[in-house]
Amino acid sequence: MTRFINLPGIYNSGPTHWQTLWEQHPAYVRFAPADWDVPTRADWVAALEAAVAAAPEPPVLVAHSLACLLVPAWAAESSLPVAGAMLVAPVDPDAEAFPEAAAEFTEFPREPLAFPSLVVGSLNDHYASEEYAR
């Protein structure tokens, strides 16, 4: 029944985060990289690949923050189908607040994704300006 894969950003999402709350619905699962605090691109791409491969049908990816950079990195390497993606509060790798522990994510493909996607940004995110989110 997995139809949505939640992709939290660095440090994961806590018990009151919207992604965690959405996972109360059985159609949601969270991908599971080995390390949330010091993410490596290879590990996160492999974890997303495993989650998509385990889905019984092409899922929708629901990415937050750093995971918004993961989605295009994964898409450039994978041949697995997804139904679409929602990228919420994408983090700007050039922002002062960008975590040093995520340095492997600063370079990512910037071509359009091959599946429907929606970017959701905010006007007061210290990880990305409004212009970057656009």
Side-chain angles (χ1 to χ4, degrees), residues 68 86-90 118-122 133:
C68 294
M86 184 169 74
L87 310 174
V88 181
L118 170 70
V119 175
V120 180
S122 71

Side-chain angles (χ1 to χ4, degrees), residues 55-83:
E57 60 189 61
V60 173
L61 308 178
V62 182
H64 178 246
S65 193
L66 182 64
C68 294
L69 305 184
L70 166 65
V71 171
W74 168 82
E77 297 179 21
S78 181
S79 61
L80 294 177
V82 295

Side-chain angles (χ1 to χ4, degrees), residues 9-126:
I10 191 170
Y11 313 125
N12 205 348
S13 294
T16 60
H17 190 275
W18 60 267
Q19 283 183 308
T20 304
L21 298 175
W22 287 10
E23 288 170 10
Q24 293 175 15
H25 190 283
Y28 282 81
V29 297
R30 182 175 299 209
F31 93 126
D35 194 333
W36 289 105
D37 298 335
V38 183
T40 63
R41 183 174 169 144
D43 172 48
W44 281 38
V45 166
L48 178 50
E49 182 78 357
V52 173
E57 60 189 61
V60 173
L61 308 178
V62 182
H64 178 246
S65 193
L66 182 64
C68 294
L69 305 184
L70 166 65
V71 171
W74 168 82
E77 297 179 21
S78 181
S79 61
L80 294 177
V82 295
M86 184 169 74
L87 310 174
V88 181
V91 60
D92 180 352
D94 294 326
E96 189 174 313
F98 190 81
E100 288 183 35
E104 288 189 12
F105 290 83
T106 58
E107 296 297 323
F108 60 95
R110 296 182 186 248
E111 294 81 28
L113 295 170
F115 42 83
S117 53
L118 170 70
V119 175
V120 180
S122 71
L123 299 176
N124 62 350
D125 188 344
H126 67 278

